[in-house]
Amino acid sequence: YITPTAITIITLSIIMGTILTMSSSNWLMAWIGLELNMLATLPIISKPKTTRASEATIKYFLTQAIASAMMLLSSTTNAWQTGNWDILELKNKFSTTIMALSLMMKMGAAPVHFWLPEVLQGTTLQTALLITTWQKLAPITLMYMISNNIQPALLMSAGVLSMVVGGLGGINQTQLRKTMAYSSINNLGWTIMIMALSPNLAIMNITIYIIMTTPVFLMMKNTSMKTLQNLTTTWTTSTAMTLSIALLMLSTSGLPPFTGFMPKMLALNELITQKLTTLATLAIMTSLISLLFYLRIAYLIMMLTPPM
């Protein structure tokens, strides 16, 4: 049991940590914000007194600590070389690469995504919502700030890899939280890939993803959905909610005429404008893989829901 005072302190720390990171211009302050944020999240993840939750807490702590260490390494190396702690002045090539990897690890993008499905599976749905939405804001803001200095090839290859991993990982899942984790990796792939060409578009992409994911998690919590099996039975108690989940899943997959189609279309348009047609084709093909598991969820719901 966490006391109301503790809850207030934890909530404030999570909010403060993110705001501190997002508003700072100095690497040390950004790092302190991320640390504060991470330390406040740990008691929330470990709140259910199960071995699963304890394991998830340890995994989360270790990956975030390693990412923080990489972040410090990157910024100190840059400060040695340039004598500057300014976030926008990250000019050293080694530093930008390490920093990009560290931020990818913080938000759970491939190739350093392994912790995300495991941690989500070990926690409650509210905590999973927190990790897949709020906890991504600070690292993505930092990536946005240094996007001009990161090599585009690194961002694009990590983006495509995240799309492939998110698509293939989600296909074989029966647990909804793990499916949502792979969905998150897949969407992060789009965000990171387009960050190299149009950072503003990347921010729009992640914002729309957060707006679509939040109600899915809230409705899953409301109906106590945990597996695909649960999906097939929830329509008896809450038909409208189950149908909303199906529509939101289709939207997240990027099917027209839903909202989720827009950022993907704009991203592809940007890629083709920059003469990166091969990359655009790859992106479309990987989004077909992920469409498979989104459609399966929608199909399970639609087929089993009686006419209203």
Side-chain angles (χ1 to χ4, degrees), residues 166-192:
L168 292 176
I171 289 175
N172 209 19
Q173 297 300 334
T174 52
Q175 296 288 336
L176 285 176
R177 275 168 298 181
K178 275 197 173 178
T179 309
M180 293 306 287
Y182 283 109
S183 158
S184 166
I185 295 168
N186 179 47
N187 274 282
L188 267 178
W190 281 89
T191 305
I192 290 170

Side-chain angles (χ1 to χ4, degrees), residues 21-305:
T21 302
M22 288 171 78
S23 57
S24 63
S25 60
N26 183 298
W27 278 121
L28 280 179
M29 288 310 286
W31 176 77
I32 289 169
L34 284 169
E35 286 298 293
L36 179 66
N37 186 309
M38 181 258 284
L39 290 172
T41 315
L42 296 175
I44 299 181
I45 302 175
S46 62
K47 189 171 180 268
K49 292 287 167 274
T50 58
T51 46
R52 252 310 183 29
S54 312
E55 190 184 324
T57 312
I58 297 291
K59 282 176 180 170
Y60 185 77
F61 171 71
L62 287 176
T63 45
Q64 298 295 315
I66 293 166
S68 292
M70 284 167 68
M71 198 172 160
L72 270 184
L73 167 71
S74 164
S75 47
T76 4
T77 310
N78 187 65
W80 266 333
Q81 299 279 324
T82 62
N84 204 332
W85 283 97
D86 201 314
I87 290 179
L88 298 172
E89 297 297 317
L90 195 73
K91 295 283 191 283
N92 185 354
K93 215 169 195 178
F94 170 78
S95 293
T96 48
T97 310
I98 296 289
M99 186 61 76
L101 283 170
S102 138
L103 294 175
M104 284 173 203
M105 198 170 187
K106 281 261 178 219
M107 52 189 156
V112 273
H113 64 281
F114 301 101
W115 62 274
L116 190 63
E118 298 294 324
V119 170
L120 288 205
Q121 190 52 38
T123 57
T124 60
L125 281 161
Q126 300 103 296
T127 317
L129 171 64
L130 177 79
I131 293 170
T132 47
T133 54
W134 183 260
Q135 296 296 74
K136 292 198 188 328
L137 295 179
I140 279 181
T141 309
L142 288 176
M143 192 176 263
Y144 175 83
M145 289 167 84
I146 62 166
S147 58
N148 288 338
N149 301 328
I150 308 173
Q151 296 103 304
L154 174 71
L155 286 179
M156 287 177 192
S157 42
V160 171
L161 188 62
S162 294
M163 288 183 209
V164 174
V165 165
L168 292 176
I171 289 175
N172 209 19
Q173 297 300 334
T174 52
Q175 296 288 336
L176 285 176
R177 275 168 298 181
K178 275 197 173 178
T179 309
M180 293 306 287
Y182 283 109
S183 158
S184 166
I185 295 168
N186 179 47
N187 274 282
L188 267 178
W190 281 89
T191 305
I192 290 170
M193 179 187 71
I194 211 62
M195 186 76 82
L197 302 173
S198 170
N200 291 345
L201 193 51
I203 295 298
M204 188 190 78
N205 188 21
I206 199 72
T207 308
I208 288 177
Y209 165 72
I210 288 173
I211 292 168
M212 290 186 303
T213 302
T214 308
V216 173
F217 273 111
L218 293 176
M219 287 189 279
M220 281 179 182
K221 179 190 174 292
N222 224 336
T223 52
S224 316
M225 269 189 219
K226 292 215 166 38
T227 59
L228 281 178
Q229 194 77 45
N230 299 151
L231 267 181
T232 58
T233 51
T234 39
W235 60 262
T236 48
T237 49
S238 43
T239 319
M241 210 175 267
T242 322
L243 280 173
S244 303
I245 290 181
L247 292 175
L248 280 161
M249 281 295 175
L250 291 175
S251 183
T252 317
S253 72
L255 267 188
F258 299 103
T259 318
F261 173 62
M262 186 181 60
K264 288 192 176 180
M265 186 190 69
L266 291 171
L268 291 172
N269 180 46
E270 186 66 36
L271 287 173
I272 293 162
T273 311
Q274 304 280 357
K275 302 274 190 294
L276 294 165
T277 326
T278 321
L279 193 62
T281 314
L282 253 175
I284 294 171
M285 286 165 81
T286 50
S287 80
L288 272 179
I289 305 173
S290 58
L291 185 63
L292 196 62
F293 67 82
Y294 289 119
L295 274 179
R296 183 176 57 181
I297 293 175
Y299 174 82
L300 276 177
I301 294 173
M302 299 292 193
M303 286 300 107
L304 295 163
T305 310

